[in-house]
Amino acid sequence: MPELGITVDRALCIGSGVCVVYAPASFEHDEAAKAVALDPPGDDLDAIRVAVEGCPTGALRLTQSA
């Protein structure tokens, strides 16, 4: 079964906090107020998808590895 991962494009991230609001056990902000994906993510897949889809700059991506 493929494992899901989360990538953050820090150049696109503006620190809006949408990801932290929708999936607080999977994302946090660092000292630069940029999103950081926690490993392993602590939210269910639906919450993570909402967070990724809600990112206003498209800085978040779900990835799959074999």
Side-chain angles (χ1 to χ4, degrees):
M1 180 169 187
E3 284 192 37
L4 288 177
I6 305 165
T7 60
V8 179
D9 184 332
R10 293 180 55 80
L12 290 177
C13 180
I14 61 171
S16 72
V18 169
C19 56
V20 177
V21 169
Y22 287 112
S26 300
F27 296 96
E28 64 184 15
H29 280 152
D30 65 9
E31 64 281 347
K34 300 278 186 165
V36 175
L38 302 177
D39 186 25
D43 295 288
D44 64 43
L45 183 55
D46 288 336
I48 295 169
R49 280 194 176 127
V50 169
V52 168
E53 291 169 5
C55 178
T57 63
L60 307 176
R61 297 260 188 263
L62 282 176
T63 59
Q64 285 188 340
S65 61

